[in-house]
Amino acid sequence: MAKDGNGQVSGKLGINTRLAHSGNNPHDYFGFVNPPVVHASTVLFRDAASMAARSQKYTYGTRGTPTTDALAQAIDTLEGSAGTIVVPSGLAAVTVPLLAFVSAGDHLLIVDSVYHPTRNFADTMLKRLGVEVEYYAPDAGAVIAALIRPNTKVVFTESPASNTFEVQDIPAIAKAAHAAGAIVMMDNTWATPLYFRPLDHGVDISIHAATKYPAGHSDVLLGTVSANESHWKQLYESFCTLGCCAGPDDVYQVLRGLRTMGVRLEHHQRSALTIASWLEGQNGVARVLHPALPSHPDHGLWKRDFSGSSGIFSIVLAGGGQKQQHAFLDALRIFGLGYSWGGYESLAVPVWLGDRVVAKGPYDGPLIRLQIGLEDVEDLKTDILRGLTAAAAA
Ligand SMILES: Cc1ncc(COP(=O)(O)O)c(C=O)c1O
């Protein structure tokens, strides 16, 4: 295994090797395996000249520390990016790059199946700042060219879709956007860079709620935003302008989580697929929305572009409404009812599609999103059967 001048692993290495060895260089800190957790606002300069020239690596806590650099460099290795900023939440990882690149009078295209708080930010703050916001169907692919206007600045994608898991044709979208001079951003939280590398498929800015799989334990909020060479400078400068830096303990926890993310994801993937295929044969389930299942309408696209699947998908109950949906959720004993995902524990949430403009379904019944944790599959199946029995009786 070779390390470059920055202590980063290089060469053709497996993903778990890269997860174990990317980021900090232990020999920068007396050989300690993990980087220090640097709590910093002030950084001292040796003299007035170096202060005036800002000619040292670190100048102030908001602009980066050895701890944030360790995580950012590890993410760069995984993403193939020129630079990564680390921000205090996954939502900040959405809002900071949008603020960095859109201006009053710009047109912003967002996939209609986007994470709801992304839509809320666009519909409230960005509209107030004079940005025109439009939503496109997740199956748009190359047809998105018809929606691109001379003032389209950014196409914001998220694939698979939040809650309904449609897969987008990212290379086709990127080609159309770039032909018109627009930037492509992608929320890649579901796949992580282990199963999809957005920049390899034409995306300019890759976004992660590191709160999910990188952190992995439902106890940290963090986001990362990675840019290709041509967009890195503007992203980093905007990040410094906004002062949107993350706390060192949270950054450290995510770097710690990253080391085991490959192993955890394999388990999430296997369990989720086992449960998803089993659910396809269960009474009371109309459809399972998981792109790695051959029955999923976008399975071909997923297979073409992704190298794996994670632990979250949705089911459509066979008929009924909110009463049946709530009966299912209330019968669960192992699955917790709570937002977020990517942690070790299983979670279930009711899916609400009331914000959608084009990607509304129709679906045969109410939707429930399941995050499959690291528990034993047989126990999770038993719990889901409790939910299905309760929904049928409601
Ligand atoms: C796809 C997606 N992006 C971003 C976020 C925001 O992450 P955070 O909870 O860290 O703000 C979430 C959270 O659920 C999400 O599901």
Side-chain angles (χ1 to χ4, degrees):
M1 183 173 73
K3 288 212 174 197
D4 66 18
N6 295 322
Q8 298 306 294
V9 291
S10 55
K12 215 172 153 32
L13 297 166
I15 193 66
N16 287 307
T17 310
R18 277 186 282 144
L19 285 167
H21 293 282
S22 302
N24 57 302
N25 181 358
H27 295 290
D28 285 348
Y29 295 98
F30 312 101
F32 289 109
V33 170
N34 292 299
V37 183
V38 176
H39 290 89
S41 52
T42 303
V43 183
L44 297 181
F45 295 83
R46 286 201 178 279
D47 50 37
S50 60
M51 196 169 198
R54 296 183 144 253
S55 60
Q56 60 185 36
K57 188 166 181 195
Y58 299 108
T59 54
Y60 194 63
T62 50
R63 303 180 71 90
T65 68
T67 314
T68 57
D69 275 359
L71 178 61
Q73 281 170 19
I75 301 284
D76 282 338
T77 309
L78 301 173
E79 289 276 353
S81 44
T84 292
I85 57 167
V86 183
V87 293
S89 68
L91 184 54
V94 169
T95 60
V96 169
L98 282 170
L99 285 172
F101 287 94
V102 293
S103 308
D106 285 345
H107 174 236
L108 165 65
L109 277 169
I110 304 185
V111 66
D112 192 38
S113 49
V114 78
Y115 171 58
H116 176 74
T118 301
R119 177 191 298 270
N120 181 52
F121 172 69
D123 286 348
T124 56
M125 200 167 285
L126 289 185
K127 281 191 179 166
R128 178 166 63 72
L129 295 173
V131 177
E132 288 181 72
V133 180
E134 187 180 351
Y135 294 94
Y136 68 88
D139 64 355
V143 174
I144 202 162
L147 299 176
I148 294 178
R149 306 181 197 163
N151 63 336
T152 303
K153 188 63 188 283
V154 170
V155 177
F156 191 100
T157 71
E158 181 186 326
S159 182
S162 262
N163 299 325
T164 46
F165 301 93
E166 295 93 333
V167 180
Q168 291 187 65
D169 191 340
I170 298 294
I173 290 171
K175 196 168 165 212
H178 290 156
I183 299 166
V184 181
M185 299 184 184
M186 176 172 177
D187 184 331
N188 188 39
T189 303
W190 183 86
T192 83
L194 271 55
Y195 296 154
F196 186 80
R197 297 215 325 167
L199 273 53
D200 292 350
H201 296 265
V203 170
D204 301 294
I205 307 254
S206 173
I207 290 162
H208 286 278
T211 305
K212 319 299 176 199
Y213 293 111
H217 294 74
S218 305
D219 53 358
V220 181
L221 286 159
L222 207 81
T224 64
V225 190
S226 305
N228 59 14
E229 195 67 53
S230 36
H231 297 91
W232 167 238
K233 192 164 174 271
Q234 188 165 339
L235 178 69
Y236 178 68
E237 279 172 4
S238 306
F239 162 74
C240 293
T241 301
L242 287 164
C244 202
C245 53
D249 295 309
D250 294 342
V251 175
Y252 180 82
Q253 287 296 346
V254 169
L255 185 64
R256 191 178 202 268
L258 214 56
R259 305 303 184 197
T260 57
M261 185 170 81
V263 189
R264 286 186 282 107
L265 260 180
E266 268 174 42
H267 192 103
H268 285 292
Q269 165 165 242
R270 203 171 38 248
S271 299
L273 268 173
T274 306
I275 292 173
S277 349
W278 166 79
L279 273 166
E280 287 199 300
Q282 294 306 306
N283 285 335
V285 178
R287 269 173 76 189
V288 181
L289 309 178
H290 187 318
L293 290 180
S295 62
H296 191 281
D298 301 331
H299 181 65
L301 263 186
W302 171 82
K303 221 169 152 179
R304 187 193 71 185
D305 292 344
F306 288 71
S307 58
S309 59
S310 60
I312 182 169
F313 64 90
S314 289
I315 57 172
V316 183
L317 295 183
Q322 197 185 59
K323 194 171 168 214
Q324 286 68 25
Q325 187 189 47
H326 284 195
F328 179 100
L329 293 168
D330 288 340
L332 300 171
R333 291 188 210 154
I334 296 174
F335 282 81
L337 308 189
Y339 294 106
S340 202
W341 43 283
Y344 57 85
E345 82 291 15
S346 291
L347 296 170
V349 290
V351 170
W352 173 74
L353 298 176
D355 61 343
R356 301 267 175 111
V357 183
V358 275
K360 293 169 188 274
Y363 293 99
D364 295 332
L367 273 70
I368 291 161
R369 192 186 76 186
L370 299 173
Q371 124 86 9
I372 305 300
L374 301 178
E375 302 96 331
D376 294 304
V377 162
E378 287 312 311
D379 297 333
L380 295 178
K381 282 185 181 171
T382 306
D383 208 33
I384 292 170
L385 281 178
R386 276 193 275 268
L388 290 173
T389 307

